[in-house]
């Protein structure tokens, strides 16, 4: 039976400190007959009689007695329940929504015994029992999200009173609007993001006929991973959740799969025909370690780690700054294993981290790369590229100590190389940043290198999107490029000769991963947008058509009500167009005034149009905020000139663009309360949050996670500091421009900060040292400014543990509720005031 939308009756007791809601619509199951145990009229070994209430302990789960019939309450708020036989069980359920945090009570009354569950957890009840009525009061903590109440009822034909039930919800917070009913939509919360199914990898067979999609299914911090084998063109399931399929990969030439079995110390290499599912053991004893299969399908090429020295010593002499990184002294070398003969041969040796970048399609040549650090020569890291002939072991040097190179791959005919690098690679032949003196090395470009004549063609020089990955297809000789395109991520089909391209029409804003068939112009990909979770697609370039072959979003967002998203761009005072979007609360009313949250990164990657982000705009909009996200100067995806503005800027003019845009947004949208505007960012965005407060008092509240308060501290101590700063402040150091560091560091401008500021930080952060938050907190406390510091124990740059992530996110919501909604009840509940 189709569920009905409930019309709620809300009773507000004016002059009192709480609001109260009588539940007037329920979902009720048909009665399920249960029997008393044989000889229940006797006593057990402890001389105890059987208690009828034990029938409520029946191990049948609530889901096995689904509540499916809508029952409307009468004027007194009661519903009638049916029974069957002498004893029967029935379930009654409804949902509760609260728009504010509140403590409260759930009161249930009935003339029969029952148990109450909230979100699957049995409640401890305070019972007032008479001869005729059972009344329970359960303490509730109402978060601003939907919860489900299920009541397991024990009915008896011996009952003398009419089997009725009533329920009421009371919120102690008088500002909380409580709704309760049989079919309430849920708002998008952190629970939706952390739980449920997501695509974490896709791969396609060489002929394009079959695809593997790897899925993770998360539930309260526990994750199950499995792989689905599908027919690409129609999404038909061929195999799913098989143990062997979890670790299967496509062979490089044939259309078979392979995986490795482990039996004691032996590891066998096994192939599988996806059509017949026939398995063949190719070799019964291969070496341990990570490998790739050579195109001859007879050779395994291994990358083996060798543990570095002095890793266990109490006193350790640094080799260079990167030596602070765990495992930096370990080295990788290349080995070859012949599946036919069993011969295991070492190919490289020495104190260099050797990587296989590519293998020629005839299997004869390897492209090997390693990097060399030079602490005194900018940009401090240089790449060496070699070709190794596996038949003769001869080595040919392609590039020696070349800066700004990232990766190298053979073309389908092995005559050319596809090289990934920064805008300044190869003497700036691909540089297109206008008057900006230094390019942004994170704005990755593609160069085509002709091996015979040594000519280099910078084919993405005038391609504004920033390259993430690319595949050179052997069927149509085209490049399939996955690239950051403004605040989206799209797939482009590009001609390697002249750089002309078209964007593939795949209906997602953020394509996160793709796999291209080697011998056909087909691909499989997966992505999401601001209003849907992961979906996987098959795309045929000849037909120029995309087909959705797996929709995880439909299940994940069932009953979820999302807010409407709209684009909003503006031109800054210098004429620069700054793009962005905003999200409205799901129950948006244009006549109301809403608090606003402004979200940005400000670093070198854009704020993306994706639902499942740590700072998802939908999660904040669900709490009653309008959320505005923008991409100011410095981010990749908008062309080299735009991204180069990130270099030697550290907030200029990014902060001014954010302030200007936020104020303009308020002026142009009458539904925004310009006195209740908050802002939030993390990492570089955390720095930006702090820096913004030194330049304006426009914001009513601010949140900085893992923010950089002292540029010199981050540059000198953070694991990523020197590497990132070689781009972000290229050539600028504390000794040659100390004013740059003090003028842009929030710590040295703390006296200008008046905005209530929440500082969050993992106390094991190896990227941005936790001292950056501690020292700014100390400064603001001395200055008497409103500031809070929350450290998350044991967490690094990201908050990953499930319960930590929940509480961390709720801390942010509680902070904004306190300052933007004038409701500090949630904050006081989490962090009550105390005298130390």
């Amino acid at each position: 039976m189709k569920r009905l939308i409930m019309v709620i009756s809300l009773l507000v007791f004016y002059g009192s400190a709480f609001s109260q809601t009588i539940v007037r619509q329920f979902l009720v199951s048909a009665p399920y007959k249960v029997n008393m145990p044989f000889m229940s009229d006797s006593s057990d070994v402890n001389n105890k009689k059987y208690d009828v209430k034990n029938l409520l302990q029946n191990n049948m789960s609530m889901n096995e007695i689904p509540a499916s019939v809508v029952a409307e309450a009468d004027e007194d708020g009661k519903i009638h329940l049916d029974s069957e036989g002498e004893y029967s069980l029935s379930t009654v359920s409804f949902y509760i929504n609260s728009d504010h945090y509140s403590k409260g009570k759930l009161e249930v009354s009935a003339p029969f015994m029952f148990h109450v569950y909230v979100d699957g957890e049995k409640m401890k009840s305070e019972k007032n029992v008479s001869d005729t009525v059972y009344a329970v009061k359960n303490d509730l903590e109402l978060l601003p999200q939907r919860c489900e109440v299920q009541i397991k009822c024990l009915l008896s034909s011996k009952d003398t009173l009419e089997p009725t039930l009533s329920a009421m919800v009371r919120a102690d917070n008088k500002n909380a609007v409580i709704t309760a009913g049989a079919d309430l939509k849920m708002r998008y919360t952190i629970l939706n993001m952390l739980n449920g199914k997501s695509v974490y990898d896709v791969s396609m067979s060489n002929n394009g006929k079959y695809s593997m999609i790897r899925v993770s299914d998360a539930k309260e911090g526990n994750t199950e991973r499995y792989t689905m084998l599908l027919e690409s063109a129609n999404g038909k399931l061929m195999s799913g959740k098989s143990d062997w399929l979890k670790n299967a990969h496509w062979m490089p030439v044939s259309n078979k799969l392979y995986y490795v079995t482990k039996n004691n110390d032996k590891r066998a290499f096994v192939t599988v025909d996806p059509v017949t599912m026939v398995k063949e053991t190719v070799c019964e004893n291969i070496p341990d370690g990570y490998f790739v299969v050579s195109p001859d399908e007879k050779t395994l090429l291994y990358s083996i780690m060798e543990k570095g020295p002095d890793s266990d010593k109490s006193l350790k002499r640094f080799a260079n700054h990167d030596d602070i990184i765990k495992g930096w002294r370990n080295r990788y070398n290349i080995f070859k294993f012949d599946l036919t003969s069993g011969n295991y041969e070492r190919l490289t040796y020495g104190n260099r981290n050797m990587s296989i970048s590519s293998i020629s399609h005839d299997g004869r040549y390897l492209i090997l790369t390693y990097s060399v650090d030079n602490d005194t020569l900018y940009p401090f890291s240089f790449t060496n590229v070699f070709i190794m002939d596996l038949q003769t072991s001869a080595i040919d040097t392609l590039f020696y100590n070349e800066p700004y190179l990232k990766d190298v791959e053979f073309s389908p005919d092995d005559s050319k190389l596809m090289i990934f690098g920064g805008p300044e690679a190869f003497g700036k032949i691909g540089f297109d940043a206008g008057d900006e003196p230094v390019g942004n090395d994170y704005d990755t470009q593609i160069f085509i290198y002709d091996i015979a004549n040594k000519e280099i063609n910078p084919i993405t020089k005038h391609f504004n999107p920033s390259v993430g990955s690319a595949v050179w297809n052997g069927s149509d000789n085209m490049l399939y490029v996955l690239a950051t395109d403004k605040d989206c991520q799209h797939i482009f089909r590009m001609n390697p000769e002249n750089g002309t391209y078209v964007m593939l029409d795949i209906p997602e804003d953020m394509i996160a991963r793709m796999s291209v068939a080697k011998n056909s112009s087909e691909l499989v990909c997966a992505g999401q947008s601001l209003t849907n979770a992961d979906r996987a697609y098959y795309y045929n370039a000849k037909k120029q058509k995309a087909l959705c072959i797996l929709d995880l979003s439909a299940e994940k967002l069932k009953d979820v009500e999302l807010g409407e998203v709209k684009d909003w761009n503006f031109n800054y005072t210098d004429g620069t167009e700054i793009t962005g979007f905003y999200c409205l609360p799901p129950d948006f009313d244009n006549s109301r005034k809403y608090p606003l949250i402004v979200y940005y990164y400000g670093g070198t990657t854009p704020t993306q149009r994706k639902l499942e982000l740590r700072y998802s705009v939908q999660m904040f909009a669900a709490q009653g905020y309008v959320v505005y996200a923008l991409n100011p100067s410095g981010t990749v995806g908008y062309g080299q000139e735009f991204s180069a503005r990130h270099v030697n800027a550290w907030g200029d003019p990014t902060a001014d663009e954010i302030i200007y845009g936020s104020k303009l947004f308020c002026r142009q949208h009458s539904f925004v309360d310009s006195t209740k505007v908050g802002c939030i960012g993390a990492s570089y965005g955390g720095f930006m949050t702090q820096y913004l407060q030194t330049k304006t008092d426009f914001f009513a509240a601010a949140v900085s996670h893992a923010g950089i308060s002292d540029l010199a501290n981050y540059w000198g101590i953070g694991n990523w500091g020197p590497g990132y700063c070689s781009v972000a402040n290229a050539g600028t150091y504390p000794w040659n421009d100390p004013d740059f560091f003090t003028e842009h560091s929030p710590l040295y401008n703390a006296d200008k900060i008046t905005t209530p500021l929440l500082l969050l930080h993992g106390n094991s952060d190896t990227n941005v040292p936790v001292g950056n938050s501690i020292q700014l907190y100390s400064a603001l406390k001395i200055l008497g400014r409103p500031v809070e510091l929350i450290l998350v124990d044991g967490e690094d740059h990201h908050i990953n543990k499930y319960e930590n992530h929940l509480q961390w996110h709720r801390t942010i919501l509680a902070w904004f509720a306190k300052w933007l909604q004038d409701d500090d009840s949630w904050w006081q509940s989490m962090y009550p005031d105390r005298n130390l």
Side-chain angles (χ1 to χ4, degrees):
M1 180 176 181
K2 186 176 180 181
R3 295 183 176 184
L4 303 176
I5 296 177
M6 172 191 178
V7 178
I8 193 68
S9 172
L10 177 63
L11 304 178
V12 180
F13 291 77
Y14 295 98
S16 65
F18 61 87
S19 62
Q20 184 168 288
T21 299
I22 297 173
V23 183
R24 297 196 174 277
Q25 193 180 68
F26 303 79
L27 282 171
V28 181
S29 73
Y32 175 82
K33 185 178 179 181
V34 291
N35 298 309
M36 294 283 282
F38 177 57
M39 297 182 67
S40 57
D41 56 347
S42 64
S43 299
D44 65 7
V45 293
N46 295 311
N47 201 31
K48 291 183 178 180
K49 292 286 187 180
Y50 183 82
D51 195 329
V52 172
K53 69 180 181 182
N54 289 330
L55 291 175
L56 276 170
Q57 307 298 333
N58 185 294
N59 63 4
M60 177 170 288
S61 72
M62 304 293 281
N63 294 329
E64 291 180 86
I65 329 174
S68 57
V69 178
V70 175
E72 302 282 352
D74 60 20
E75 291 182 358
D76 297 325
K78 295 180 180 180
I79 57 168
H80 176 87
L81 299 181
D82 295 325
S83 62
E84 181 177 332
E86 185 176 2
Y87 293 102
S88 58
L89 294 175
S90 184
T91 61
V92 175
S93 66
F94 58 91
Y95 296 106
I96 302 172
N97 262 335
S98 175
D99 68 339
H100 281 68
Y101 172 88
S102 180
K103 292 183 178 180
K105 293 281 188 182
L106 168 63
E107 301 182 15
V108 180
S109 298
F112 48 77
M113 289 180 284
F114 55 85
H115 287 166
V116 179
Y117 301 80
V118 177
D119 285 339
E121 182 178 351
K122 187 174 182 295
M123 302 297 290
K124 294 180 180 179
S125 301
E126 174 190 328
K127 297 184 180 180
N128 298 318
V129 183
S130 69
D131 292 337
T132 56
V133 176
Y134 293 82
V136 302
K137 295 182 180 180
N138 293 281
D139 290 330
L140 285 180
E141 184 179 39
L142 295 168
L143 302 180
Q145 62 191 42
R146 191 183 78 169
C147 66
E148 182 180 17
V149 176
Q150 293 176 300
I151 306 167
K152 194 175 186 181
C153 305
L154 177 60
L155 304 171
S156 172
S157 60
K158 297 178 180 180
D159 292 335
T160 58
L161 295 180
E162 182 182 3
T164 61
L165 180 143
S166 62
M168 181 173 66
V169 184
R170 193 187 80 186
D172 294 342
N173 184 349
K174 65 180 180 181
N175 295 317
V177 176
I178 306 298
T179 54
D183 192 19
L184 298 184
K185 294 290 186 181
M186 70 173 70
R187 298 292 180 89
Y188 189 78
T189 71
I190 188 69
L191 295 174
N192 299 101
M193 191 187 79
L194 294 181
N195 297 297
K197 296 176 183 177
S198 303
V199 176
Y200 70 93
D201 191 29
V202 296
S203 62
M204 179 173 261
S205 64
N206 296 306
N207 60 9
K209 290 185 177 181
Y210 316 108
S211 294
M212 285 194 295
I213 300 179
R214 303 194 193 277
V215 176
S216 63
D217 189 358
K219 184 176 182 180
E220 297 181 353
N222 299 310
T223 301
E224 176 192 3
R225 294 179 181 270
Y226 61 90
T227 300
M228 304 172 69
L229 179 62
L230 308 174
E231 290 183 5
S232 300
N234 56 29
K236 181 180 178 182
L237 182 66
M238 301 171 65
S239 180
K241 293 195 174 182
S242 300
D243 286 341
W244 67 269
L245 198 56
K246 287 182 181 179
N247 301 308
H249 303 274
W250 295 107
M251 293 289 279
V253 176
S254 63
N255 293 295
K256 291 184 177 181
L257 294 156
Y258 75 86
Y259 68 99
V260 175
T261 64
K262 298 179 182 179
N263 185 11
N264 296 324
D265 293 333
K266 290 188 176 182
R267 302 170 79 245
F269 185 89
V270 182
T271 60
V272 183
D273 186 318
V275 179
T276 63
M277 292 295 169
V278 172
K279 299 178 181 179
E280 177 187 358
T281 300
V282 177
C283 183
E284 294 185 343
N285 194 8
I286 66 172
D288 193 8
Y290 171 78
F291 66 83
V292 294
V293 182
S294 175
D296 63 8
E297 298 194 348
K298 298 178 181 178
T299 307
L300 307 183
L301 294 161
Y302 281 81
S303 180
I304 302 297
M305 186 194 79
E306 297 167 338
K307 194 173 181 180
D310 304 333
S311 57
D312 300 324
K313 288 186 177 181
S314 298
L315 276 68
K316 184 172 101 174
R317 178 190 178 193
F318 266 40
N320 65 15
H321 180 276
D322 288 340
D323 208 0
I324 196 174
I325 301 172
K326 185 178 180 180
W328 178 84
R329 297 191 180 197
N330 299 333
R331 295 294 182 264
Y332 287 83
N333 275 288
I334 311 303
F335 294 73
K336 181 178 73 170
F337 178 79
D338 190 299
L339 287 168
T340 304
S341 67
N343 183 48
Y344 190 46
E345 177 184 0
R346 183 176 192 133
L347 299 181
T348 68
Y349 182 82
N351 192 29
R352 301 293 184 192
N353 263 325
M354 287 287 184
S355 299
I356 300 175
S357 287
S358 189
I359 309 171
S360 64
H361 292 78
D362 59 7
R364 178 171 177 174
Y365 299 97
L366 298 183
I367 295 182
L368 300 176
T369 62
Y370 71 82
S371 62
V372 175
D373 295 328
N374 188 321
D375 293 340
T376 62
L377 185 62
Y378 183 83
F380 312 121
S381 182
F382 302 85
T383 302
N384 295 275
V385 183
F386 309 91
I387 290 184
M388 171 183 279
D389 187 331
L390 289 177
Q391 292 183 5
T392 66
S393 296
I395 296 289
D396 183 20
T397 302
L398 291 177
F399 304 105
Y400 181 73
N401 282 1
E402 191 72 36
Y404 307 110
L405 296 194
K406 300 179 181 180
D407 204 1
V408 183
E409 293 184 20
F410 276 112
S411 65
D413 64 0
D414 299 326
S415 69
K416 296 180 176 65
L417 300 177
M418 176 170 58
I419 302 176
F420 301 85
E424 302 207 0
F426 303 115
K428 288 192 169 185
I429 62 171
F431 187 79
D432 187 34
D435 294 333
E436 294 292 333
V438 181
N440 186 334
D441 192 45
Y442 292 104
D443 198 345
T444 302
Q445 308 294 310
I446 296 177
F447 304 83
I448 302 299
Y449 176 77
D450 190 300
I451 298 176
N453 61 31
K454 296 181 170 44
E455 290 182 354
I456 302 175
N457 180 12
I459 62 166
T460 58
K461 181 174 182 177
H462 305 299
F463 178 66
N464 283 342
S466 179
V467 175
S469 63
V471 175
W472 201 329
N473 182 257
S475 173
D476 57 17
N477 200 41
M478 291 289 173
L479 305 184
Y480 289 82
V481 182
L482 180 60
T484 299
D485 183 20
K486 296 184 177 179
D487 54 5
C488 299
Q489 196 156 283
H490 293 136
I491 300 175
F492 297 85
R493 189 168 180 255
M494 180 178 289
N495 188 324
E497 298 298 325
N498 55 28
T500 57
Y501 60 89
V502 294
M503 188 183 84
L504 304 190
D505 186 14
I506 300 173
E508 297 296 343
D509 290 330
M510 285 297 303
I511 305 296
R513 45 197 58 87
M514 73 169 183
S515 176
V516 182
K518 291 182 179 179
N519 300 321
S520 67
S521 52
E522 298 164 278
L523 62 85
V524 62
C525 64
Q528 58 182 250
S529 300
L530 284 165
T531 54
N532 64 271
D534 281 347
R535 296 189 286 218
Y537 295 84
Y538 161 76
Y539 185 86
N540 187 310
K542 291 183 179 179
K543 298 179 180 179
Q544 298 182 21
K545 186 177 181 181
L547 172 70
C548 181
I549 58 175
L550 180 66
D551 185 356
L552 299 181
S553 184
E555 174 186 345
K556 198 166 188 177
L557 297 183
K558 182 182 179 183
D559 294 333
V560 175
E561 186 178 19
L562 296 175
E564 183 181 5
V565 178
K566 297 184 178 182
D567 293 339
W568 191 76
N569 308 328
F570 69 91
N571 289 325
Y572 186 53
T573 55
D574 64 357
T576 300
E577 183 184 45
I578 304 298
T579 67
F581 54 88
Y582 64 96
C583 184
L584 299 171
D587 59 353
F588 177 71
D589 179 352
N590 193 58
S591 65
R592 287 180 55 190
K593 287 280 190 180
Y594 291 89
L596 173 70
I597 293 176
V598 180
Y599 175 52
Y600 42 77
Y601 177 55
T604 196
T605 55
T607 301
Q608 298 169 330
R609 303 175 72 93
K610 183 178 179 182
L611 175 66
E612 296 181 332
L613 288 171
R614 289 174 179 268
Y615 306 93
S616 170
V617 296
Q618 291 284 2
M619 287 195 297
F620 291 112
Q623 302 296 313
Y625 301 100
V626 174
V627 188
Y628 168 46
L630 71 160
N631 287 303
S633 292
T635 184
V636 302
Y638 293 80
Q640 288 189 38
E641 189 276 335
F642 196 87
S643 68
R645 298 181 188 184
H646 178 69
V647 181
N648 277 313
W650 281 99
D652 297 328
T654 306
D656 293 331
E657 292 170 349
I658 294 172
I659 295 167
Y660 181 90
S662 299
K663 291 180 177 179
L664 184 62
F665 186 89
C666 292
R667 288 199 298 271
Q668 293 190 5
H669 297 89
S670 60
F671 50 79
V672 171
D673 183 348
S674 61
T675 69
K676 297 291 184 182
V677 180
C679 59
I680 184 171
S683 194
Y684 193 101
F687 153 78
M688 187 56 61
T689 292
Q690 299 172 18
Y691 188 64
L692 283 169
Q693 312 323 309
T694 70
K695 297 177 74 71
T696 184
D697 60 0
F698 171 72
F699 297 101
V703 176
S704 166
H705 174 75
I708 302 161
S709 71
D710 184 347
L711 302 193
N713 177 280
Y714 173 65
W715 167 82
I717 301 177
N719 281 11
W720 303 353
Y724 185 81
C725 289
S726 68
V727 178
N729 38 290
T732 304
Y733 305 101
W735 56 88
N736 67 8
D737 195 349
D739 289 346
F740 176 88
F741 285 81
T742 57
E743 289 171 3
H744 292 83
S745 294
L747 177 64
Y748 295 94
N749 297 276
D751 59 323
K752 301 173 185 175
I753 298 176
T754 58
T755 305
L757 176 61
L758 172 63
L759 300 166
L760 296 158
H761 223 118
N763 68 1
S764 298
D765 195 331
T766 57
N767 177 10
V768 178
V770 65
N772 278 268
S773 286
I774 294 173
Q775 60 191 359
L776 185 59
Y777 170 77
S778 298
L780 293 175
K781 290 296 284 186
I782 290 171
L783 291 163
R785 306 297 161 75
V787 62
E788 294 282 356
L789 171 63
I790 306 295
L791 300 183
V792 190
D793 189 45
E795 295 284 6
D796 203 326
H797 198 53
H798 300 288
I799 310 303
N800 291 323
K801 294 178 183 176
Y802 182 81
E803 190 59 35
N804 286 349
H805 196 132
L806 281 181
Q807 296 308 314
W808 167 82
H809 178 73
R810 288 167 180 169
T811 297
I812 296 171
L813 296 182
W815 181 257
F816 280 140
K818 175 178 179 177
W819 295 102
L820 303 184
Q821 296 179 337
D822 296 324
D823 183 358
D824 69 349
S825 58
W826 199 354
W827 182 265
Q828 286 296 326
S829 174
M830 297 186 73
Y831 306 105
D833 292 335
R834 60 176 184 252
N835 294 319
L836 298 180

